[in-house]
Amino acid sequence: MNAYVINILLIMFWAMALLLFNPNKLKKKAFIAIATIQWIFVSGLRNITSGADPDTIEYLRHFNSVKNMPWSKIPVLFYNTYVKGVGKDPGYTVLVKLVQVFTKNYQCYLVIVAIILFSSLAVWVYKNSKMPCFSYILFSTLFYSFFAVTGIRQTIATALVVFIGTELIKKRKFFPFLLICLIAFTIHKSSMCLLPFYFISQKKITRKYILFVLALFPIVAVFRNQFLDLLNFISGYEYEELSTSGAKSFTFFYFVIVIVSLILLRYVRENSKNYKMYYNALFLGMLFIPLVFVNPSLMRVVQYFSVYLMLLVPELIMCVQKKYRNLVYIAIVIVLMIITNIYTSNYSFFWQ
C-alpha cells in the first residue's frame, strides 16, 4: 500500500472521528488542520526523486544557484525577462531568495512551500466545501501528483490566484485580485489564465449559455492546434505538438462530472450560493482539455479550473437523497482509492 493511499485512509479516519457524529465548526477546523498537517508532512518531507517530473531536480539546482546570487541581480532578472525576453519567472527567484534569508536547506524550503500551499488550501476548503473530507480525498486522487510533489512554481501560483483569489472574486474585489495575479504571474506566467475568470465566474448558467459552451467544445477540439498558439502566449511557454499526448483517464472522469453537473444543475442552483463560480470553472476547464491532447503539459492551464471540482463534486453529492447519499459517497471513495493505488507515481521520504 503506497503513501498516498495511507494518507487517504488516515483522512477518512479523522473524518469519521470528528465529522460523522454531531459535526460542528470546531470539529471541522480540527479535521482540516489535521489533514493539512498530514499533507505538509507528505509533500514537504519527500525525496527529490518522488513523482514523475524531471523538473523536480531542476528546482534543486536553481535553489543552489540562488544561494550565491547577490540581491542586486534581482532587478536585472526582471529587466531581462520582461524587457529583453530572456529568462522566465523572476518572482520565483525572489521567493527562493527570501526563504534563504532564513534557511539554505532545500528540504526546509520544500516544507515552507508545502505550508504555503496547504494552509491556503485549508482556508479555501473550510470556507467553501460542504464536505471537507471528500474535498481532500479528491485532492489526494486527482491533484496530489502535480501540486504536492512536482510543480513548485505553479503550486505557489495556484495558492495565490485560486485558494486566496477565490475569496476576492466572490467579494468582487478586482484590484486586490489583479495584484495577486500580477505577483503570481512573475512566479508562473500561466496564472494569468485566471484573470478572465474574475469576469466569467458570475456568468449566469442559462440553457442558452450551456448550449453555447457545448457547441464551442467541438470547435476548440477541431482547431486545437490554432488555439494552442494563443495559449502559448497566455501561459508563457512554447508547447509543441507531441506524438503521444492526452490525459484519457482524467478527461473521462471530468466529462462524467460535466454530465452529472448538468443533470443536477437545478438542485445545485437551489442549494449553493456559489454554483455559478463552480460551473463556470467547470466549463472553462472543459474547453481547455482538447489542448491537452496536443500537448499534455497544457494540463497546467486546466489545473487552475479543475481544482474547483473539489468544491463542486461535494455539492453534487449533497443533491442525492439522504438515504442513498452515504452509499454514493462510499462508492465514489472506493473508486478514487483504486485509481490512486493504480496510477500513483513513485514516492519516498527524503531519508529513504
Side-chain angles (χ1 to χ4, degrees):
M1 188 178 296
N2 62 53
Y4 303 116
V5 174
I6 293 174
N7 195 42
I8 293 176
L9 290 174
L10 286 173
I11 287 173
M12 292 176 62
F13 171 78
W14 293 117
M16 288 188 290
L18 295 169
L19 303 177
L20 189 59
F21 302 104
N22 302 318
N24 54 48
K25 289 185 177 180
L26 182 60
K27 289 182 177 180
K28 183 179 180 180
K29 288 180 180 179
F31 166 76
I32 291 176
I34 293 171
T36 299
I37 292 171
Q38 281 186 200
W39 263 116
I40 290 173
F41 180 81
V42 172
S43 179
L45 301 183
R46 69 186 185 271
N47 192 299
I48 61 172
T49 60
S50 297
D53 189 353
D55 287 343
T56 302
I57 297 178
E58 290 301 320
Y59 281 119
L60 173 59
R61 292 172 181 167
H62 176 267
F63 184 86
N64 290 331
S65 69
V66 173
K67 289 180 180 179
N68 299 317
M69 179 186 295
W71 279 98
S72 59
K73 191 176 178 181
I74 297 298
V76 178
L77 291 178
F78 280 85
Y79 178 82
N80 289 341
T81 301
Y82 300 120
V83 177
K84 292 186 174 181
V86 179
K88 64 180 181 180
D89 306 329
Y92 177 71
T93 301
V94 174
L95 176 65
V96 172
K97 195 69 178 171
L98 287 171
V99 171
Q100 289 181 352
V101 172
F102 305 97
T103 177
K104 289 182 169 58
N105 182 280
Y106 185 66
Q107 202 67 52
C108 291
Y109 171 70
L110 293 181
V111 172
I112 291 172
V113 171
I115 291 172
I116 293 172
L117 171 65
F118 291 107
S119 59
S120 59
L121 174 63
V123 175
W124 189 69
V125 169
Y126 177 77
K127 289 185 175 181
N128 297 287
S129 178
K130 291 182 178 178
M131 302 176 70
C133 176
F134 194 81
S135 293
Y136 274 102
I137 291 173
L138 275 175
F139 175 87
S140 302
T141 304
L142 298 180
F143 305 112
Y144 75 90
S145 62
F146 185 82
F147 292 111
V149 296
T150 53
I152 296 178
R153 285 175 299 128
Q154 191 170 352
T155 290
I156 298 168
T158 302
L160 290 172
V161 298
V162 177
F163 300 145
I164 296 175
T166 292
E167 201 64 22
L168 299 176
I169 294 175
K170 286 163 57 179
K171 294 180 179 178
R172 311 310 296 161
K173 295 184 177 181
F174 174 70
F175 288 106
F177 181 71
L178 175 61
L179 177 60
I180 281 183
C181 287
L182 291 174
I183 295 172
F185 175 78
T186 69
I187 297 172
H188 201 283
K189 293 177 76 173
S190 65
S191 59
M192 287 304 287
C193 294
L194 256 290
L195 187 57
F197 184 59
Y198 179 90
F199 305 99
I200 299 172
S201 63
Q202 299 305 312
K203 170 69 178 169
K204 291 183 178 180
I205 312 299
T206 63
R207 181 175 298 181
K208 289 183 179 179
Y209 177 50
I210 293 172
L211 292 175
F212 170 76
V213 172
L214 294 177
L216 188 59
F217 177 79
I219 296 175
V220 175
V222 172
F223 296 100
R224 57 187 181 274
N225 289 298
Q226 288 76 11
F227 279 101
L228 179 63
D229 294 335
L230 177 61
L231 261 295
N232 279 336
F233 173 76
I234 296 175
S235 62
Y237 298 91
E238 293 298 324
Y239 297 117
E240 298 178 354
E241 184 175 356
L242 299 179
S243 57
T244 57
S245 59
K248 297 180 177 63
S249 298
F250 178 84
T251 300
F252 174 78
F253 180 79
Y254 199 96
F255 276 90
V256 168
I257 294 178
V258 170
I259 293 170
V260 174
S261 299
L262 294 178
I263 294 173
L264 297 178
L265 173 59
R266 179 167 64 90
Y267 302 98
V268 177
R269 182 189 286 126
E270 293 173 355
N271 297 286
S272 175
K273 62 181 180 180
N274 297 316
Y275 81 95
K276 288 186 286 187
M277 176 180 287
Y278 304 158
Y279 273 79
N280 280 305
L282 180 73
F283 293 155
L284 285 171
M286 181 185 73
L287 292 177
F288 283 123
I289 280 179
L291 302 181
V292 179
F293 286 84
V294 180
N295 188 316
S297 296
L298 265 299
M299 279 297 292
R300 293 176 184 274
V301 179
V302 176
Q303 295 285 25
Y304 287 111
F305 303 107
S306 62
V307 290
Y308 282 96
L309 295 179
M310 294 171 59
L311 306 181
L312 174 59
V313 176
E315 297 284 356
L316 300 178
I317 295 176
M318 293 297 292
C319 293
V320 179
Q321 293 182 17
K322 285 187 177 180
K323 60 181 180 180
Y324 301 119
R325 191 177 298 163
N326 288 338
L327 182 62
V328 171
Y329 185 100
I330 293 171
I332 296 175
V333 168
I334 290 174
V335 171
L336 291 176
M337 288 188 64
I338 293 173
I339 293 173
T340 302
N341 195 47
I342 294 174
Y343 291 104
T344 48
S345 302
N346 62 300
Y347 179 89
S348 60
F349 291 103
F350 74 90
W351 61 79
Q352 294 178 315

